[in-house]
Coordinates of all heavy atoms in Angstrom, one line a residue:
M1 N 0.6 11.6 2.7 CA -0.8 11.7 2.2 C -1.6 10.4 2.5 O -1.0 9.3 2.2 CB -0.7 12.0 0.7 CG -2.1 12.2 0.1 SD -1.9 12.6 -1.6 CE -1.4 11.1 -2.4
F2 N -2.8 10.6 3.0 CA -3.6 9.4 3.2 C -4.1 8.8 1.9 O -4.7 9.5 1.1 CB -4.8 9.7 4.1 CG -4.4 9.8 5.5 CD1 -4.4 11.0 6.2 CD2 -4.2 8.6 6.3 CE1 -4.0 11.1 7.5 CE2 -3.8 8.7 7.6 CZ -3.7 9.9 8.2
I3 N -3.9 7.5 1.7 CA -4.3 6.8 0.5 C -5.6 6.1 0.9 O -6.6 6.1 0.1 CB -3.3 5.8 0.1 CG1 -2.0 6.5 -0.2 CG2 -3.8 5.0 -1.1 CD1 -2.0 7.6 -1.3
C4 N -5.6 5.5 2.0 CA -6.7 4.7 2.5 C -7.4 5.4 3.7 O -6.8 5.4 4.8 CB -6.3 3.3 2.9 SG -7.6 2.2 3.5
L5 N -8.5 6.0 3.5 CA -9.1 6.7 4.6 C -9.8 5.7 5.6 O -9.8 6.0 6.8 CB -10.2 7.7 4.1 CG -9.7 8.8 3.2 CD1 -10.8 9.7 2.7 CD2 -8.7 9.6 4.0
C6 N -10.3 4.6 5.1 CA -11.0 3.6 6.0 C -10.0 3.1 7.1 O -10.3 3.1 8.3 CB -11.4 2.5 5.3 SG -12.8 2.8 4.2
K7 N -8.7 2.8 6.7 CA -7.8 2.3 7.6 C -6.6 3.3 8.0 O -5.7 2.9 8.7 CB -7.1 1.0 6.9 CG -8.1 -0.1 6.7 CD -8.6 -0.7 8.1 CE -9.5 -1.8 7.9 NZ -9.9 -2.4 9.1
G8 N -6.7 4.5 7.4 CA -5.7 5.5 7.8 C -4.3 5.1 7.3 O -3.4 5.3 8.1
V9 N -4.2 4.6 6.1 CA -2.9 4.2 5.6 C -2.4 5.3 4.6 O -3.1 5.8 3.7 CB -3.0 2.9 4.8 CG1 -1.6 2.4 4.3 CG2 -3.7 1.8 5.7
T10 N -1.1 5.7 4.9 CA -0.5 6.7 4.0 C 0.4 6.1 3.0 O 0.7 4.9 3.0 CB 0.4 7.6 4.9 OG1 1.4 6.8 5.4 CG2 -0.4 8.3 6.0
D11 N 0.7 6.9 1.9 CA 1.6 6.4 0.9 C 2.9 6.0 1.5 O 3.6 5.1 1.1 CB 1.8 7.5 -0.2 CG 2.3 8.8 0.3 OD1 2.0 9.1 1.5 OD2 2.8 9.6 -0.5
R12 N 3.3 6.8 2.5 CA 4.6 6.5 3.2 C 4.6 5.0 3.9 O 5.6 4.3 3.8 CB 4.9 7.5 4.3 CG 6.2 7.5 4.9 CD 6.4 8.7 5.8 NE 7.7 8.6 6.4 CZ 8.3 9.6 7.0 NH1 7.7 10.7 7.1 NH2 9.5 9.5 7.5
E13 N 3.4 4.8 4.5 CA 3.3 3.4 5.1 C 3.4 2.3 4.1 O 3.9 1.3 4.3 CB 2.0 3.3 5.9 CG 2.1 4.1 7.2 CD 0.8 4.2 7.9 OE1 -0.2 4.8 7.4 OE2 0.7 3.5 9.0
I14 N 2.8 2.6 2.9 CA 2.8 1.6 1.8 C 4.3 1.3 1.4 O 4.8 0.2 1.2 CB 2.0 2.0 0.6 CG1 0.5 2.0 1.0 CG2 2.2 1.1 -0.6 CD1 -0.5 2.5 0.0
R15 N 5.0 2.5 1.2 CA 6.4 2.4 0.8 C 7.3 1.7 1.9 O 8.2 0.9 1.6 CB 7.0 3.7 0.5 CG 6.4 4.3 -0.8 CD 7.0 5.6 -1.3 NE 6.3 6.1 -2.4 CZ 6.4 5.7 -3.6 NH1 7.3 4.7 -3.9 NH2 5.8 6.2 -4.6
E16 N 7.0 2.0 3.1 CA 7.7 1.3 4.2 C 7.4 -0.2 4.3 O 8.3 -1.0 4.6 CB 7.2 1.9 5.6 CG 8.0 3.2 5.9 CD 7.5 4.0 7.1 OE1 6.6 3.5 7.8 OE2 8.0 5.1 7.3
A17 N 6.2 -0.6 3.9 CA 5.9 -2.0 4.0 C 6.7 -2.7 2.9 O 7.2 -3.8 3.1 CB 4.4 -2.2 3.6
V18 N 6.9 -2.0 1.8 CA 7.8 -2.6 0.7 C 9.2 -2.7 1.2 O 9.9 -3.7 1.0 CB 7.6 -1.8 -0.6 CG1 8.6 -2.3 -1.6 CG2 6.2 -2.0 -1.1
S19 N 9.7 -1.6 1.8 CA 11.1 -1.6 2.4 C 11.3 -2.7 3.4 O 12.3 -3.3 3.5 CB 11.4 -0.3 3.1 OG 11.2 0.8 2.3
D20 N 10.2 -3.0 4.1 CA 10.2 -4.0 5.1 C 10.1 -5.5 4.6 O 10.0 -6.4 5.4 CB 9.2 -3.8 6.3 CG 9.6 -2.5 7.1 OD1 10.7 -2.0 7.0 OD2 8.7 -2.0 7.8
G21 N 9.9 -5.6 3.3 CA 9.9 -6.9 2.7 C 8.7 -7.3 1.9 O 8.7 -8.3 1.3
A22 N 7.6 -6.5 1.9 CA 6.4 -6.8 1.1 C 6.8 -6.8 -0.4 O 7.4 -5.8 -0.8 CB 5.3 -5.9 1.4
R23 N 6.5 -7.8 -1.1 CA 6.9 -7.9 -2.6 C 5.7 -8.0 -3.5 O 5.9 -8.4 -4.7 CB 7.8 -9.1 -2.7 CG 9.2 -8.8 -2.2 CD 9.9 -7.6 -3.0 NE 11.1 -7.2 -2.3 CZ 11.2 -6.2 -1.4 NH1 10.2 -5.6 -1.0 NH2 12.4 -6.0 -0.9
S24 N 4.5 -7.7 -3.1 CA 3.4 -7.7 -3.9 C 2.3 -6.8 -3.3 O 2.4 -6.5 -2.1 CB 2.8 -9.1 -4.1 OG 2.4 -9.6 -2.8
W25 N 1.3 -6.4 -4.1 CA 0.2 -5.6 -3.7 C -0.5 -6.4 -2.5 O -0.9 -5.9 -1.5 CB -0.7 -5.3 -4.8 CG -2.0 -4.7 -4.5 CD1 -3.2 -5.0 -5.0 CD2 -2.3 -3.6 -3.6 NE1 -4.2 -4.2 -4.4 CE2 -3.7 -3.3 -3.6 CE3 -1.5 -2.7 -2.8 CZ2 -4.3 -2.4 -2.8 CZ3 -2.1 -1.8 -2.0 CH2 -3.5 -1.5 -2.1
R26 N -0.6 -7.7 -2.8 CA -1.3 -8.6 -1.8 C -0.6 -8.5 -0.4 O -1.3 -8.4 0.6 CB -1.3 -10.0 -2.3 CG -2.1 -10.9 -1.4 CD -2.1 -12.3 -2.0 NE -2.7 -13.2 -1.2 CZ -3.2 -14.4 -1.6 NH1 -3.0 -14.8 -2.8 NH2 -3.8 -15.2 -0.8
E27 N 0.7 -8.6 -0.5 CA 1.5 -8.5 0.8 C 1.4 -7.2 1.5 O 1.3 -7.0 2.7 CB 2.9 -8.9 0.6 CG 3.1 -10.4 0.3 CD 4.6 -10.8 0.0 OE1 5.5 -9.9 0.3 OE2 4.8 -11.9 -0.5
V28 N 1.4 -6.1 0.6 CA 1.2 -4.7 1.2 C -0.1 -4.6 1.9 O -0.2 -4.0 2.9 CB 1.4 -3.7 0.0 CG1 1.0 -2.3 0.5 CG2 2.8 -3.7 -0.5
R29 N -1.1 -5.2 1.2 CA -2.5 -5.1 1.9 C -2.5 -5.8 3.2 O -3.1 -5.4 4.1 CB -3.5 -5.8 0.9 CG -3.8 -4.9 -0.3 CD -4.8 -5.6 -1.2 NE -6.0 -5.9 -0.5 CZ -7.0 -6.5 -1.0 NH1 -7.0 -7.0 -2.3 NH2 -8.1 -6.7 -0.4
E30 N -1.9 -7.0 3.2 CA -1.9 -7.8 4.5 C -1.2 -7.0 5.6 O -1.6 -7.1 6.7 CB -1.2 -9.1 4.2 CG -2.0 -10.1 3.4 CD -1.3 -11.4 3.0 OE1 -0.1 -11.6 3.4 OE2 -1.9 -12.1 2.3
V31 N -0.1 -6.3 5.2 CA 0.7 -5.7 6.3 C 0.0 -4.4 6.7 O 0.0 -4.1 7.9 CB 2.1 -5.4 5.7 CG1 2.9 -4.5 6.7 CG2 2.8 -6.7 5.5
T32 N -0.5 -3.6 5.8 CA -1.0 -2.3 6.1 C -2.5 -2.2 6.4 O -3.0 -1.3 7.0 CB -0.7 -1.3 5.0 OG1 -1.5 -1.7 3.8 CG2 0.7 -1.2 4.7
G33 N -3.2 -3.2 5.8 CA -4.7 -3.2 5.9 C -5.3 -2.3 4.9 O -6.6 -2.2 4.8
C34 N -4.5 -1.7 4.0 CA -5.0 -0.9 2.9 C -5.9 -1.7 2.0 O -5.7 -2.8 1.7 CB -3.8 -0.4 2.1 SG -4.2 0.9 0.9
S35 N -7.0 -1.0 1.6 CA -8.0 -1.6 0.7 C -8.7 -2.9 1.3 O -9.2 -3.7 0.6 CB -7.3 -2.1 -0.6 OG -8.2 -2.5 -1.5
S36 N -8.8 -2.9 2.6 CA -9.5 -4.1 3.3 C -10.9 -3.8 3.7 O -11.6 -4.6 4.2 CB -8.7 -4.6 4.5 OG -8.6 -3.5 5.4
Q37 N -11.4 -2.5 3.4 CA -12.7 -2.2 3.7 C -13.5 -1.8 2.5 O -14.0 -2.7 1.8 CB -12.7 -1.0 4.8 CG -13.9 -1.2 5.8 CD -13.7 -0.4 7.0 OE1 -12.6 -0.5 7.6 NE2 -14.7 0.3 7.4
C38 N -13.7 -0.5 2.1 CA -14.5 -0.2 1.0 C -13.9 -0.5 -0.3 O -14.5 -0.6 -1.3 CB -14.9 1.3 1.1 SG -13.6 2.4 0.6
G39 N -12.5 -0.5 -0.4 CA -11.8 -0.8 -1.6 C -11.6 0.4 -2.6 O -10.9 0.2 -3.6
K40 N -12.0 1.6 -2.2 CA -11.9 2.7 -3.1 C -10.4 3.1 -3.3 O -10.1 3.8 -4.3 CB -12.6 3.9 -2.5 CG -14.1 3.8 -2.8 CD -14.8 5.1 -2.3 CE -16.3 4.9 -2.5 NZ -17.1 5.8 -1.7
C41 N -9.6 2.8 -2.4 CA -8.1 3.1 -2.4 C -7.3 2.1 -3.2 O -6.1 2.3 -3.4 CB -7.6 3.2 -1.0 SG -7.8 1.7 -0.1
A42 N -8.0 1.0 -3.7 CA -7.2 0.0 -4.3 C -6.3 0.4 -5.5 O -5.2 0.0 -5.6 CB -8.2 -1.1 -4.8
C43 N -6.9 1.2 -6.4 CA -6.2 1.6 -7.6 C -4.9 2.4 -7.3 O -3.8 2.1 -7.8 CB -7.1 2.4 -8.5 SG -7.6 1.6 -10.0
V44 N -5.1 3.4 -6.4 CA -4.0 4.2 -6.1 C -3.0 3.5 -5.2 O -1.7 3.5 -5.4 CB -4.4 5.5 -5.3 CG1 -3.3 6.4 -4.9 CG2 -5.4 6.3 -6.3
G45 N -3.5 2.7 -4.3 CA -2.6 1.9 -3.4 C -1.8 0.9 -4.1 O -0.6 0.8 -3.9
K46 N -2.4 0.3 -5.1 CA -1.7 -0.7 -5.9 C -0.6 0.0 -6.8 O 0.5 -0.5 -6.9 CB -2.7 -1.4 -6.9 CG -2.2 -2.6 -7.6 CD -3.4 -3.1 -8.4 CE -3.2 -4.5 -8.8 NZ -4.4 -5.0 -9.5
A47 N -0.9 1.1 -7.3 CA 0.1 1.9 -8.2 C 1.3 2.3 -7.3 O 2.4 2.1 -7.7 CB -0.6 3.1 -8.8
I48 N 1.0 2.7 -6.1 CA 2.1 3.1 -5.2 C 3.0 1.9 -4.8 O 4.2 1.9 -4.8 CB 1.7 3.9 -4.0 CG1 1.0 5.3 -4.4 CG2 2.7 4.1 -2.9 CD1 0.3 5.9 -3.3
A49 N 2.3 0.8 -4.5 CA 3.0 -0.4 -4.1 C 3.8 -0.9 -5.3 O 5.0 -1.3 -5.1 CB 2.0 -1.5 -3.7
R50 N 3.3 -0.9 -6.4 CA 4.1 -1.4 -7.6 C 5.3 -0.5 -7.9 O 6.3 -1.0 -8.3 CB 3.1 -1.4 -8.9 CG 2.2 -2.6 -8.8 CD 1.6 -2.8 -10.2 NE 0.9 -4.1 -10.1 CZ -0.1 -4.4 -11.0 NH1 -0.4 -3.5 -11.9 NH2 -0.7 -5.5 -10.9
D51 N 5.1 0.8 -7.8 CA 6.2 1.7 -8.0 C 7.3 1.4 -6.9 O 8.5 1.4 -7.3 CB 5.7 3.1 -7.8 CG 6.8 4.1 -8.0 OD1 7.3 4.3 -9.1 OD2 7.1 4.9 -7.0
A52 N 6.9 1.3 -5.7 CA 7.9 1.0 -4.6 C 8.6 -0.3 -4.8 O 9.8 -0.4 -4.7 CB 7.2 1.1 -3.3
I53 N 7.9 -1.3 -5.3 CA 8.5 -2.6 -5.5 C 9.5 -2.5 -6.7 O 10.6 -3.1 -6.6 CB 7.4 -3.7 -5.8 CG1 6.6 -4.0 -4.5 CG2 8.0 -5.0 -6.3 CD1 5.2 -4.7 -4.8
A54 N 9.1 -1.7 -7.7 CA 10.0 -1.6 -8.9 C 11.3 -0.9 -8.5 O 12.3 -1.0 -9.1 CB 9.3 -0.8 -9.9
R55 N 11.3 0.0 -7.4 CA 12.4 0.7 -7.0 C 13.3 -0.1 -6.1 O 14.4 0.3 -5.8 CB 12.0 2.0 -6.3 CG 11.4 3.0 -7.2 CD 10.7 4.1 -6.3 NE 9.9 5.0 -7.1 CZ 10.3 6.2 -7.6 NH1 11.6 6.5 -7.4 NH2 9.5 6.9 -8.3
E56 N 12.9 -1.2 -5.6 CA 13.7 -2.0 -4.7 C 14.9 -2.7 -5.3 O 14.8 -3.1 -6.5 CB 12.8 -3.1 -4.0 CG 11.9 -2.6 -2.8 CD 12.8 -2.1 -1.7 OE1 13.6 -2.8 -1.2 OE2 12.5 -0.9 -1.2
Ligands
FES101 FE1 -9.2 2.0 1.7 FE2 -11.8 2.3 2.1 S1 -10.3 3.9 1.6 S2 -10.6 0.5 2.2

């Protein structure tokens, strides 16, 4: 499912970024580009990133 329409980032890509070593929402943003434009996806993107980090 697309989370960030501006950058075309999916929930799966966010989880993959965490699997690949991102350990904070900031790092996930840097890797995926999520929330780097309009910012509307920030809340959901952050929640998914936190969930994925908690599962690591
Ligand atoms: Fe993610 Fe706009 S939807 S920056």
